[in-house]
Amino acid sequence: MRIVLLGAPGSGKGTQARKLMADRNIPQISTGDMLRAAVAAGTSFGQQAKKIMEAGELVPDDIMLGIVSERLAEDDAADGFILDGFPRTEKQALDLDDLLDRRGQPLDSVVLMDVDFDILMKRLTGRRTCSLTGKLLNIYFSPQEELDACTDAGGELIQRDDDNEETISNRLEVYRSRTEALVEFYGATNKLKVVDAASSIDKVYERILKALAA
Ligand code: AMP
């Protein structure tokens, strides 16, 4: 199954992609995670990407296409994949279509994860990762016991570099100006499924499975 998860920053794409990956045994291909790995590796590309990401801007399309096409050529993506965070511009969407057409493996579904702006803001400003377990938490929504479990065990609640308020506003603005047009782009195919993603992780996952089965 070849799926794109589309949605604003904070709509839960990564969380749901990981659940799908575990269930369907196909890889989650997160361009944000791949870029963060390049930043952590300290390559010269990583250093350039870091600046762009910290500003909440987009890495140029041709670079992103190169990264994604290489990743899609790996063996584990032969039977399907979940793209999380790509495409983000109309050019990326067109290039992805070309790439998949050449492989004779078009997309099956594009799931739009729909969440109101106010909720996105709280999800993003409150998002933390436990330094010990890697568990994703939220200071507004996670049960206090889960937050305490991390800090009591000596862990820290780490905030992503681009989850500060200024960068978040720009990321949401970039989503509106560059990515939202993809809703119409994919709406013109019969592949777009819109899912209300403002509920709990499990409830949203249930809706995604239902949409994919429809
Ligand atoms: P994410 O983890 O998906 O929110 O991505 C974090 C950041 O990585 C974004 O704000 C962009 O700066 C960059 N990025 C991730 N995916 C893409 C993409 N498809 N095109 C351009 N930039 C991207």
Side-chain angles (χ1 to χ4, degrees):
M1 183 150 231
R2 295 175 292 276
I3 307 169
V4 165
L5 291 186
L6 189 64
S11 58
K13 299 187 296 295
T15 301
Q16 298 296 337
R18 280 188 284 278
K19 282 176 85 70
L20 271 174
M21 170 170 71
D23 266 6
R24 302 277 165 113
N25 205 23
I26 49 176
Q28 168 204 18
I29 298 182
S30 158
T31 44
D33 284 351
M34 290 161 87
L35 292 169
R36 279 183 287 279
V39 172
T43 58
S44 72
F45 165 65
Q47 283 165 14
Q48 278 170 274
K50 185 177 190 317
K51 287 198 197 112
I52 296 174
M53 292 164 80
E54 278 176 0
E57 298 292 335
L58 295 183
V59 173
D61 289 337
D62 50 342
I63 295 178
M64 293 313 302
L65 182 71
I67 293 176
V68 169
S69 66
E70 263 182 36
R71 180 64 188 87
L72 287 176
E74 286 178 33
D75 287 348
D76 65 340
D79 294 331
F81 50 79
I82 307 142
L83 277 171
D84 154 15
F86 184 94
R88 256 178 157 98
T89 65
E90 217 161 327
K91 169 93 171 74
Q92 291 180 10
L94 288 165
D95 286 346
L96 177 67
D97 273 359
D98 276 354
L99 180 74
L100 295 177
D101 279 353
R102 280 201 301 276
R103 291 164 37 136
Q105 294 186 324
L107 288 173
D108 295 306
S109 298
V110 177
V111 178
L112 170 67
M113 303 189 41
D114 195 23
V115 183
D116 276 354
F117 182 83
D118 293 357
I119 300 179
L120 290 175
M121 242 2 224
K122 273 193 141 177
R123 283 191 183 173
L124 291 164
T125 52
R127 181 156 70 179
R128 302 288 186 277
T129 304
C130 176
S131 62
L132 286 181
T133 60
K135 192 177 165 75
L136 208 54
L137 297 162
N138 189 293
I139 56 169
Y140 301 119
F141 302 126
S142 297
Q144 192 58 43
E145 310 87 78
E146 284 191 23
L147 296 164
D148 290 347
C150 177
T151 47
D152 289 351
E156 273 181 73
L157 296 170
I158 311 238
Q159 191 169 26
R160 247 170 70 164
D161 287 343
D162 59 353
D163 274 347
N164 62 76
E165 239 163 272
E166 198 186 333
T167 306
I168 288 169
S169 306
N170 199 37
R171 285 161 64 208
L172 291 172
E173 181 47 38
V174 166
Y175 176 77
R176 276 208 200 103
S177 60
R178 308 287 306 281
T179 311
E180 213 163 48
L182 297 187
V183 177
E184 214 171 299
F185 179 92
Y186 286 120
T189 69
N190 57 0
K191 292 176 187 169
L192 185 73
K193 329 238 149 132
V194 182
V195 166
D196 172 0
S199 313
S200 69
I201 293 171
D202 288 342
K203 184 81 206 153
V204 173
Y205 188 59
E206 219 176 88
R207 290 180 188 142
I208 291 176
L209 290 185
K210 215 164 149 193
L212 289 175

